[in-house]
């Protein structure tokens, strides 16, 4: 997790640079407000808590400062559900007036949030999410993903199974949502 934290910081600064372009008429003063969407309840709660804790560790070490400004983070439980995530994002952007969004783990949640992010022009960072199309075929303008891609991790394994092990046929078992489909697709692409 420690290696991820500087990447999140760099991505945050890049995203803030994007936000600065969108609001060039407003002077940079006051705190930088980040809305953090994490599954803090539900089946994936521990991963959400770990993701937030890793970022929080970096923020504590940097004195809750970002680009020389005070950092305020508003943490919301998205329950790992797309509809809840969109509702919480609306609250964070439209009521709390955050400068950017961060968080999200599950691919189905990540994909569901993209239309809102794009419509609002709100810089967003997904530090862990691995959904392929977030940085490939349908790359959003306002999103930075600092983690791996689900399908990309399987490319070496597909090639290894075909070339080294000599398999001609194989069955792939995966989760029945975006992450599982992309893992299987990454394997199939090189197999």
């Amino acid at each position: 997790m420690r290696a991820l934290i500087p990447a999140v910081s760099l991505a945050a600064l890049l995203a803030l640079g994007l936000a600065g372009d969108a609001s060039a008429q407003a002077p940079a003063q006051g705190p930088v407000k980040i809305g953090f969407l994490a599954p803090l309840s539900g089946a994936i709660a521990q991963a959400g808590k770990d993701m937030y804790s890793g970022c929080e560790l970096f923020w504590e070490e940097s004195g809750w400062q970002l680009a020389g400004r005070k950092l305020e983070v508003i943490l919301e439980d998205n329950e790992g559900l797309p509809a809840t995530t969109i509702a919480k994002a609306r609250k964070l952007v439209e009521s709390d007036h955050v400068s950017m969004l961060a968080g999200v783990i599950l691919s189905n949640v990540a994909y569901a949030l993209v239309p809102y992010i794009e419509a609002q022009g709100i810089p967003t960072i997904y530090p862990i999410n691995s959904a392929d199309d977030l940085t490939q075929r349908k790359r959003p303008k306002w999103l930075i993903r600092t983690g791996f891609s689900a399908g990309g991790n399987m490319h070496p394994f597909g090639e290894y199974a075909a070339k080294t092990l000599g398999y001609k046929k194989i069955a792939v078992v995966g989760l029945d949502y975006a992450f599982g489909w992309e893992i299987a697709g990454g394997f199939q692409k090189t197999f």
Side-chain angles (χ1 to χ4, degrees), residues 84-155:
T84 303
T85 302
I86 293 167
K88 299 285 178 115
R90 278 193 183 106
K91 175 213 173 265
L92 290 165
V93 172
E94 298 168 25
S95 298
D96 296 328
H97 306 290
V98 297
S99 304
M100 65 181 296
L101 295 172
V104 178
I105 292 177
L106 297 172
S107 295
N108 60 331
V109 174
Y111 283 134
L113 188 55
V114 167
Y116 180 77
I117 291 167
E118 293 296 289
Q120 294 298 312
I122 184 82
T124 303
I125 296 174
Y126 290 166
I128 293 177
N129 187 272
S130 61
D132 286 349
D133 278 343
L134 296 176
T135 53
Q136 293 179 23
R137 295 167 291 271
K138 302 173 189 173
R139 197 166 93 202
K141 176 182 177 183
W142 292 97
L143 178 68
I144 296 172
R145 180 187 69 194
T146 61
F148 62 93
S149 79
N153 282 345
M154 295 303 287
H155 289 173

Side-chain angles (χ1 to χ4, degrees), residues 49-67:
K49 292 171 186 174
D50 291 346
M51 173 180 62
Y52 181 76
S53 293
C55 293
E56 188 177 46
L57 176 63
F58 174 77
W59 296 326
E60 286 173 1
E61 289 177 356
S62 65
W64 291 89
Q65 296 275 319
L66 188 60

